Amino acid sequence: MSSALVLSIDAMGGDDAPEIVVDGVAHFLKGRKRAVRFLLHGDELQIAPLLARHEGLAEVCDIRHSDSEVDMSAKPSEAVRRARGSSMWNAVRSVKDGEAQVAISAGNTGALMAISKVILRMKKGVHRPAIAASWPAPTGFSTVLDVGANVDCSPSQLVEFAVLGEAFHRAVHGEKAPTVGLLNVGQEELKGGQTIRDADALIREADLDLDYQGFIEGDDISAGTTNVVVTDGFTGNVALKTAEGTARLVGGWLREALTSSLIAKIATGLLSLGALNQLRAKMDPRNVNGGVFLGLNGVVVKSHGGTDALGFSTSLRIALEMADSRFLSEIERNLERLSALQADTVSEGETA
Amino acid sequence: MSSALVLSIDAMGGDDAPEIVVDGVAHFLKGRKRAVRFLLHGDELQIAPLLARHEGLAEVCDIRHSDSEVDMSAKPSEAVRRARGSSMWNAVRSVKDGEAQVAISAGNTGALMAISKVILRMKKGVHRPAIAASWPAPTGFSTVLDVGANVDCSPSQLVEFAVLGEAFHRAVHGEKAPTVGLLNVGQEELKGGQTIRDADALIREADLDLDYQGFIEGDDISAGTTNVVVTDGFTGNVALKTAEGTARLVGGWLREALTSSLIAKIATGLLSLGALNQLRAKMDPRNVNGGVFLGLNGVVVKSHGGTDALGFSTSLRIALEMADSRFLSEIERNLERLSALQADTVSEGETA
C-alpha cells in the first residue's frame, strides 16, 4: 500500500466533469493490476454518487472536497487570484505537498499553467514551462513541444524546450539518446525568421549533450524523423490540432468507404475482427490525449477539456508513465549544462 | 483553335524534370476533351524525345527552347539575377506577353516567386503575394493561405490574404460567399500575439464585404469550418506539411491493416473494387498538389519539386481551373475596397 502511486485529479475540470472524470478513472483501472490510488478534488456531493456506480472504485479513491472550481473561460490572471481552494488548485497542491506524484486536470489550460507555476515554481534554469505532446509516429511516438503554453518564444526558450523535451522523451518513451529537431519551413530561402535561426545557432554552440539534427519540417513530425520536435506554442498548437483534424477527416472517409456498399459491408465485417480495430484505435485522438507540463518542480498533465471517459483515462495513463519515469532526475543533468550556458551568455554579454 | 487555353510550363523545374513534366502533361490529357495547348520551356534536345513517347502529345505542345534553368537550391536573389532566359523565366514571361493564361513550375519556390514578382508585378493594393493551397474538407475544399511565401506577416498583409483568398475560393471553388477565418490557437488566454489580434481587428473594422468569422483553430481546417483560412506563411507551411505527414502515416497504417492477415487480404480484395480506391485517391497528397501564387498580375502555379507525373498533372488541372475562372476579375472589387481602406489608414496615421 505504501508503494502505491497516487494521482491527484481535478474532478471538476472539463466540459463534462465530474462525470467523465470518474468514468475515466474507472476505465483506466480496468484490467490494471498495479496499485494506484486517486485523490479526487471537487464537490463531494457530486462525486460520491458517481463513484458508487463503479464497483470497488470508492476503495481506491479519496474524495477531497472543495467548494469552488475554476471557470473554463476565466483568464489565467483572474483565475489564479480566485483559485485558492478550488479543485484545480488543490489538485496541484497535493503534488507540492508530496501526497501525490502527478496532478491531472481537464480544466482551463491557461489557469492550470498559471496555478502550477505559482504552486510548484519553475525548475532552476527554466524560464517558461512548455506543454509536451506525444505524437504517433511509425515506430512509437514523437515528442512535440511546446503545443500551447507560450505563443511567443525567444531563442533561449526554444533551447530550454529542447532540453526539457529530450529528457521527457528519454524518461517516458525509453529512448536512450533521443534525436532533436527544430521545426521550420521548406527551402533555404524561406527559412524561418531570426528567432528560429538564432535558436538553431544557440543549440549548436551550446555543449548540451543533445543529438541535435537541425531543422525539420511539418511532415517530419508524423514521419518520426527526429524523436523530439521543438517549436513555439503557437506553431505547435496549430500543428497538433491540424493533425487531429486530418486524422478525423480521414477517419470519416474510411467509415464511408467501409460502409458504401453491401460488398464493402461484408468486407468490413471480415476486417473488423482484426486489424481494422487497431487502426481505428491508432487514429483516435482520444488515445493520445494528455499534454504534460514540463519545467516545473512537479508533474502536471492537462487533458483536453472536451474529452470523454476514454480520453481522460489516456491522460491518467500518461500521468502514470510520468510518475513511473525518472523524468525529474533525468532532466537535472541537462538543466545544469543549460544553467552553465546561460551564465556564459550573460558573462559574454557583459564583456562585449 | 483560337479559343484553346494555353498553359506555359517550365519543363526543367523539379527533381525529375523534364521527364515527369512531360509524363504529367500526357497524364493530364487522358480522356480530356477540352482543347488545351502547352508551351514547354526548356532544353529541346531533352524534351522532344520525351514527347515522342506519347502518341499525339507533340501536336498540342510547342517546345520553346531555353539554354539555362534555375538551380533548385539557388537563393531567390541570386536566381533572379541569373534567371533571364531560363526555362522558368520564359514560362512566366509567356503569361506576361499574353501567349498563355497560366504558368506552372515545379522548380525552386523562392526563385519562382521572385521571378513572378519581377515579371508580372504585384496587383495594385497588394504588398506581398501569397501561396494558396486547396485543402481537402468534408464537403469539397478549403483554401489555405499563405502556405509558404512569407515567413513574417504584418496585420495588413493578413488582411490582404483574406481578400485574395476569398476571391480565389469564389472563383475556383465556386462558392458565392465564402466564409473566412483567421488561424489562431485555443483558449482565450493563449490567443496569438499582437499581429493576429491586430489583423482580426483590422478585418472587422474594414468594410471589405467579406463573410469574416473570426478566429479558428488547426482542426477547423480539415473540418471545413470556414471556406478560407488565413495565416502567415510559416504557420501555413507547417500546417500543410503536418497534414500531409499525418495522411501519409494513416495511409501506412491502413495498408498494414488491410494486408495483415489472410482474412484481411480477402476482405481488402472485395473492398478494392470500390470505395477503397476512392479513399486512397482522397488521401494521396499528389491529388492536391499545386500552390497558386495570388496577388500578381497573372497566375502562376507551383508544383511540389519532388512530385511525380500524377502530382504534376494535378498542378495542371489547378492551373486550368484558374485559367477558366474569373479570379482576376473577381478580385478587383475587393482590392478596390482594400485600397480605400489602406488610404484611410494612412490618412489616419498622418493626422494622429
Side-chain angles (χ1 to χ4, degrees), chain B residues 88-99:
Chain B
M88 185 186 279
W89 178 281
N90 292 349
V92 177
R93 184 77 220 182
S94 289
V95 172
K96 168 76 177 172
D97 293 344
E99 287 188 295

PDB file of all heavy atoms in Angstrom, chain B residues 88-99:
ATOM      1  N   MET B  88      12.356  28.779 -66.476  1.00  0.00           N
ATOM      2  CA  MET B  88      11.393  29.307 -65.522  1.00  0.00           C
ATOM      3  C   MET B  88      11.007  30.739 -65.891  1.00  0.00           C
ATOM      4  O   MET B  88       9.834  31.109 -65.925  1.00  0.00           O
ATOM      5  CB  MET B  88      11.984  29.267 -64.103  1.00  0.00           C
ATOM      6  CG  MET B  88      11.012  29.693 -63.013  1.00  0.00           C
ATOM      7  SD  MET B  88      11.810  29.793 -61.385  1.00  0.00           S
ATOM      8  CE  MET B  88      11.808  28.070 -60.864  1.00  0.00           C
ATOM      9  N   TRP B  89      12.013  31.549 -66.186  1.00  0.00           N
ATOM     10  CA  TRP B  89      11.790  32.945 -66.566  1.00  0.00           C
ATOM     11  C   TRP B  89      10.867  33.018 -67.784  1.00  0.00           C
ATOM     12  O   TRP B  89       9.862  33.728 -67.790  1.00  0.00           O
ATOM     13  CB  TRP B  89      13.134  33.626 -66.863  1.00  0.00           C
ATOM     14  CG  TRP B  89      13.020  35.054 -67.298  1.00  0.00           C
ATOM     15  CD1 TRP B  89      12.678  35.499 -68.545  1.00  0.00           C
ATOM     16  CD2 TRP B  89      13.228  36.212 -66.492  1.00  0.00           C
ATOM     17  NE1 TRP B  89      12.668  36.870 -68.551  1.00  0.00           N
ATOM     18  CE2 TRP B  89      13.010  37.336 -67.311  1.00  0.00           C
ATOM     19  CE3 TRP B  89      13.597  36.413 -65.152  1.00  0.00           C
ATOM     20  CZ2 TRP B  89      13.141  38.649 -66.843  1.00  0.00           C
ATOM     21  CZ3 TRP B  89      13.733  37.713 -64.686  1.00  0.00           C
ATOM     22  CH2 TRP B  89      13.505  38.808 -65.519  1.00  0.00           C
ATOM     23  N   ASN B  90      11.207  32.235 -68.804  1.00  0.00           N
ATOM     24  CA  ASN B  90      10.446  32.272 -70.046  1.00  0.00           C
ATOM     25  C   ASN B  90       9.011  31.769 -69.865  1.00  0.00           C
ATOM     26  O   ASN B  90       8.087  32.256 -70.519  1.00  0.00           O
ATOM     27  CB  ASN B  90      11.161  31.450 -71.129  1.00  0.00           C
ATOM     28  CG  ASN B  90      12.474  32.108 -71.549  1.00  0.00           C
ATOM     29  OD1 ASN B  90      12.743  33.259 -71.180  1.00  0.00           O
ATOM     30  ND2 ASN B  90      13.291  31.377 -72.305  1.00  0.00           N
ATOM     31  N   ALA B  91       8.841  30.795 -68.948  1.00  0.00           N
ATOM     32  CA  ALA B  91       7.488  30.270 -68.694  1.00  0.00           C
ATOM     33  C   ALA B  91       6.591  31.378 -68.134  1.00  0.00           C
ATOM     34  O   ALA B  91       5.438  31.534 -68.539  1.00  0.00           O
ATOM     35  CB  ALA B  91       7.557  29.087 -67.729  1.00  0.00           C
ATOM     36  N   VAL B  92       7.136  32.163 -67.209  1.00  0.00           N
ATOM     37  CA  VAL B  92       6.352  33.261 -66.622  1.00  0.00           C
ATOM     38  C   VAL B  92       6.179  34.381 -67.644  1.00  0.00           C
ATOM     39  O   VAL B  92       5.117  34.995 -67.761  1.00  0.00           O
ATOM     40  CB  VAL B  92       7.027  33.783 -65.327  1.00  0.00           C
ATOM     41  CG1 VAL B  92       6.256  34.969 -64.751  1.00  0.00           C
ATOM     42  CG2 VAL B  92       7.141  32.667 -64.284  1.00  0.00           C
ATOM     43  N   ARG B  93       7.222  34.608 -68.412  1.00  0.00           N
ATOM     44  CA  ARG B  93       7.203  35.656 -69.434  1.00  0.00           C
ATOM     45  C   ARG B  93       6.067  35.438 -70.453  1.00  0.00           C
ATOM     46  O   ARG B  93       5.444  36.405 -70.908  1.00  0.00           O
ATOM     47  CB  ARG B  93       8.579  35.650 -70.134  1.00  0.00           C
ATOM     48  CG  ARG B  93       8.819  36.714 -71.163  1.00  0.00           C
ATOM     49  CD  ARG B  93       9.110  38.067 -70.541  1.00  0.00           C
ATOM     50  NE  ARG B  93       8.446  39.108 -71.307  1.00  0.00           N
ATOM     51  CZ  ARG B  93       8.521  40.407 -71.055  1.00  0.00           C
ATOM     52  NH1 ARG B  93       9.211  40.848 -70.021  1.00  0.00           N
ATOM     53  NH2 ARG B  93       7.896  41.284 -71.796  1.00  0.00           N
ATOM     54  N   SER B  94       5.793  34.188 -70.769  1.00  0.00           N
ATOM     55  CA  SER B  94       4.719  33.873 -71.727  1.00  0.00           C
ATOM     56  C   SER B  94       3.359  34.332 -71.215  1.00  0.00           C
ATOM     57  O   SER B  94       2.468  34.654 -71.997  1.00  0.00           O
ATOM     58  CB  SER B  94       4.660  32.357 -71.997  1.00  0.00           C
ATOM     59  OG  SER B  94       5.770  31.970 -72.765  1.00  0.00           O
ATOM     60  N   VAL B  95       3.191  34.343 -69.886  1.00  0.00           N
ATOM     61  CA  VAL B  95       1.931  34.838 -69.304  1.00  0.00           C
ATOM     62  C   VAL B  95       1.884  36.357 -69.430  1.00  0.00           C
ATOM     63  O   VAL B  95       0.877  36.940 -69.842  1.00  0.00           O
ATOM     64  CB  VAL B  95       1.802  34.400 -67.834  1.00  0.00           C
ATOM     65  CG1 VAL B  95       0.600  35.072 -67.160  1.00  0.00           C
ATOM     66  CG2 VAL B  95       1.669  32.878 -67.743  1.00  0.00           C
ATOM     67  N   LYS B  96       2.998  36.986 -69.101  1.00  0.00           N
ATOM     68  CA  LYS B  96       3.086  38.445 -69.216  1.00  0.00           C
ATOM     69  C   LYS B  96       2.791  38.896 -70.660  1.00  0.00           C
ATOM     70  O   LYS B  96       2.090  39.894 -70.888  1.00  0.00           O
ATOM     71  CB  LYS B  96       4.502  38.891 -68.800  1.00  0.00           C
ATOM     72  CG  LYS B  96       4.871  40.314 -69.121  1.00  0.00           C
ATOM     73  CD  LYS B  96       4.218  41.280 -68.154  1.00  0.00           C
ATOM     74  CE  LYS B  96       4.668  42.715 -68.456  1.00  0.00           C
ATOM     75  NZ  LYS B  96       3.904  43.668 -67.653  1.00  0.00           N
ATOM     76  N   ASP B  97       3.321  38.141 -71.630  1.00  0.00           N
ATOM     77  CA  ASP B  97       3.175  38.508 -73.039  1.00  0.00           C
ATOM     78  C   ASP B  97       1.816  38.123 -73.619  1.00  0.00           C
ATOM     79  O   ASP B  97       1.558  38.370 -74.803  1.00  0.00           O
ATOM     80  CB  ASP B  97       4.283  37.841 -73.876  1.00  0.00           C
ATOM     81  CG  ASP B  97       5.657  38.393 -73.525  1.00  0.00           C
ATOM     82  OD1 ASP B  97       5.718  39.468 -72.886  1.00  0.00           O
ATOM     83  OD2 ASP B  97       6.663  37.745 -73.874  1.00  0.00           O
ATOM     84  N   GLY B  98       0.978  37.484 -72.804  1.00  0.00           N
ATOM     85  CA  GLY B  98      -0.363  37.132 -73.268  1.00  0.00           C
ATOM     86  C   GLY B  98      -0.426  35.899 -74.140  1.00  0.00           C
ATOM     87  O   GLY B  98      -1.459  35.591 -74.735  1.00  0.00           O
ATOM     88  N   GLU B  99       0.677  35.166 -74.222  1.00  0.00           N
ATOM     89  CA  GLU B  99       0.689  33.935 -75.010  1.00  0.00           C
ATOM     90  C   GLU B  99       0.008  32.786 -74.284  1.00  0.00           C
ATOM     91  O   GLU B  99      -0.413  31.808 -74.893  1.00  0.00           O
ATOM     92  CB  GLU B  99       2.130  33.476 -75.246  1.00  0.00           C
ATOM     93  CG  GLU B  99       2.920  34.290 -76.217  1.00  0.00           C
ATOM     94  CD  GLU B  99       4.240  33.566 -76.464  1.00  0.00           C
ATOM     95  OE1 GLU B  99       5.050  33.445 -75.505  1.00  0.00           O
ATOM     96  OE2 GLU B  99       4.444  33.117 -77.601  1.00  0.00           O
TER      97      GLU B  99
END
